Amino acid sequence: MATLRKLLFLSGLWYISQVQGVAKFTNIECLSMDENFATVSLCRLYAVKRDVVEMSLRAHILHWPKGPMSMRMELLKKASGYKPFLYNIRQSDVCEYLEKRNHPFVNIILNSFGNRTNVNKCPIPPEIILEHFRFPVKVLDIMPLPSGDYGLFTTFSFDRQERAQVKVYFTLPEYGK
């Protein structure tokens, strides 16, 4: 009887891990609010397999600010539109953050990029690249989220003006579906 319970428990864990595997990106938007600051040459999702989607983006910084660049990262959940959910983080200096790595949520997101990006420390290169990035399913082990549709909006500002924004949308399926 105990062996049967263990087998059922392990089967359930395997099933849940397989369902989490279909968590995927659904859309991406890259906006440059100031064409004198940056241009976006690539911002798209690629369907690799039925349940696998890769994200790639490429942006060129035309005019690097003299002062610090700030970043705001918001996690939103869809419920009659996208509403704030759990995190709304403001980093007043991106380079200071990249040096200290002092926010757990931002660390989870940026560490999941691994070697898929060229932005790991300052100075940030004039061409920012993220290539063939798949949804980091292992992040759900660290930060389990309820099923649903989400948006992760990242806004970059300097001189108190928003200059660029990346909106990434993803979905997490219900267990058992």
Side-chain angles (χ1 to χ4, degrees):
M1 188 67 155
T3 306
L4 180 60
R5 271 192 234 144
K6 285 181 187 175
L7 183 62
L8 288 173
F9 176 74
L10 291 174
S11 298
L13 285 178
W14 177 83
Y15 179 74
I16 287 172
S17 71
Q18 296 304 306
V19 171
Q20 279 186 343
V22 297
K24 64 182 180 178
F25 297 117
T26 56
N27 197 9
I28 184 172
E29 295 176 50
C30 303
L31 310 166
S32 178
M33 287 92 145
D34 182 353
E35 294 296 325
N36 294 322
F37 170 66
T39 60
V40 179
S41 59
L42 176 67
C43 179
R44 66 176 295 187
L45 299 177
Y46 298 93
V48 178
K49 297 185 218 172
R50 180 178 173 183
D51 293 326
V52 177
V53 176
E54 291 181 344
M55 173 176 34
S56 291
L57 68 88
R58 194 176 287 258
H60 302 275
I61 307 294
L62 304 172
H63 172 72
W64 197 254
K66 292 183 176 136
M69 185 183 335
S70 62
M71 174 180 75
R72 184 177 74 233
M73 192 176 280
E74 304 170 274
L75 181 64
L76 301 113
K77 188 169 194 299
K78 189 173 184 182
S80 299
Y82 284 90
K83 309 284 187 218
F85 182 79
L86 288 181
Y87 296 104
N88 185 351
I89 297 121
R90 294 178 193 274
Q91 293 290 331
S92 59
D93 186 346
V94 172
C95 284
E96 181 181 320
Y97 164 75
L98 288 172
E99 185 179 307
K100 295 181 180 179
R101 304 278 177 155
N102 56 0
H103 197 286
F105 175 71
V106 180
N107 290 349
I108 289 169
I109 302 301
L110 294 183
N111 289 342
S112 68
F113 291 163
N115 62 358
R116 301 286 182 191
T117 186
N118 66 342
V119 178
N120 295 311
K121 60 183 179 177
C122 281
I124 295 172
E127 183 178 42
I128 297 171
I129 300 168
L130 177 66
E131 289 183 328
H132 306 292
F133 178 66
R134 294 182 181 186
F135 189 88
V137 177
K138 292 187 185 229
V139 166
L140 298 175
D141 295 337
I142 300 167
M143 188 178 66
L145 295 171
S147 62
D149 295 325
Y150 291 87
L152 181 64
F153 294 6
T154 306
T155 306
F156 299 94
S157 307
F158 70 91
D159 293 337
R160 298 182 184 197
Q161 292 183 352
E162 293 182 354
R163 305 297 176 144
Q165 186 175 51
V166 177
K167 297 179 179 182
V168 178
Y169 300 90
F170 60 96
T171 186
L172 301 176
E174 283 188 42
Y175 296 119
K177 289 203 173 187

